[in-house]
Amino acid sequence: MPWGHGRPREVRGDLGTRLSVRPRRSRCPACGTTHVLLPEMMWPRRADAAEVIGAGLEIAAQGMGHRQVAAHLGLADGTVRGWIRRFRDRSGEVRRHFTVALVALADDQVMPDPSGTALGDAVSAVAAAHRAAAMKWSHINAVSRWEFAGRAMAGRVLTCSLSSS
């Protein structure tokens, strides 16, 4: 039985594009409630596509401040500052999650070199795990590393930890 759709949402994509998304809903057999099923290009509670947020995090990992990142992406300072703060707060958990994934996926693990910052180390771990997954399964190349990250962490790259949900 179909459970319909969530409310329509507009998501900011690359180069200022606006993407209209109307996510599906599904009923959970365990709890009996319906849940919105976000596509992998979206993360919960974010108005920007995962690829846009990831690009901002990668730029920040190179040492740029939030104002420079926001100017580069054409977004509000506060939006980008929020992403960077949330990711920095979760960087240890993100790094651990993707380091474990890298070890599980790669036949010959090449650990990323330390970057000198927790944010940079977490970004490097995401990239390394995505490369390992793409080498193992070629269809992963069609998924950006940040969509991959969202899928691997159940969309919780910037939100609360998996253990507290």
Side-chain angles (χ1 to χ4, degrees):
M1 171 180 256
W3 295 100
H5 293 84
R7 67 173 176 75
R9 297 141 201 242
E10 193 171 89
V11 179
R12 291 182 292 239
D14 284 339
L15 304 173
T17 59
R18 301 277 183 179
L19 308 167
S20 182
V21 179
R22 191 165 179 228
R24 299 274 314 162
R25 292 185 73 83
S26 180
R27 185 172 181 175
C28 174
C31 68
T33 61
T34 61
H35 300 277
V36 174
L37 305 174
L38 294 177
E40 60 194 13
M41 55 104 39
M42 292 176 66
W43 288 348
R45 303 174 199 263
R46 302 293 164 195
D48 296 285
E51 190 62 24
V52 174
I53 297 169
L57 296 173
E58 289 175 9
I59 295 167
Q62 295 174 7
M64 275 196 195
H66 74 274
R67 287 185 184 92
Q68 292 173 306
V69 175
H72 182 76
L73 296 175
L75 297 171
D77 291 357
T79 298
V80 174
R81 182 179 54 239
W83 300 341
I84 294 169
R85 281 184 180 167
R86 294 292 299 195
F87 192 76
R88 192 174 286 125
D89 290 347
R90 295 190 32 75
S91 60
E93 184 177 350
V94 171
R95 183 189 49 76
R96 279 188 299 278
H97 186 90
F98 287 99
T99 300
V100 168
L102 173 61
V103 169
L105 291 168
D107 295 328
D108 184 22
Q109 301 95 5
V110 177
M111 294 298 164
D113 291 330
S115 69
T117 67
L119 187 143
D121 290 345
V123 166
S124 294
V126 169
H130 181 258
R131 275 191 305 276
M135 290 181 81
K136 191 170 192 111
W137 304 298
S138 60
H139 68 278
I140 295 293
N141 282 322
V143 178
S144 81
R145 74 178 57 135
W146 295 102
E147 291 171 348
F148 168 80
R151 180 185 287 181
M153 293 192 78
R156 298 184 187 282
V157 178
L158 298 179
T159 59
C160 62
S161 67
L162 293 172
S163 59
S164 66
S165 59

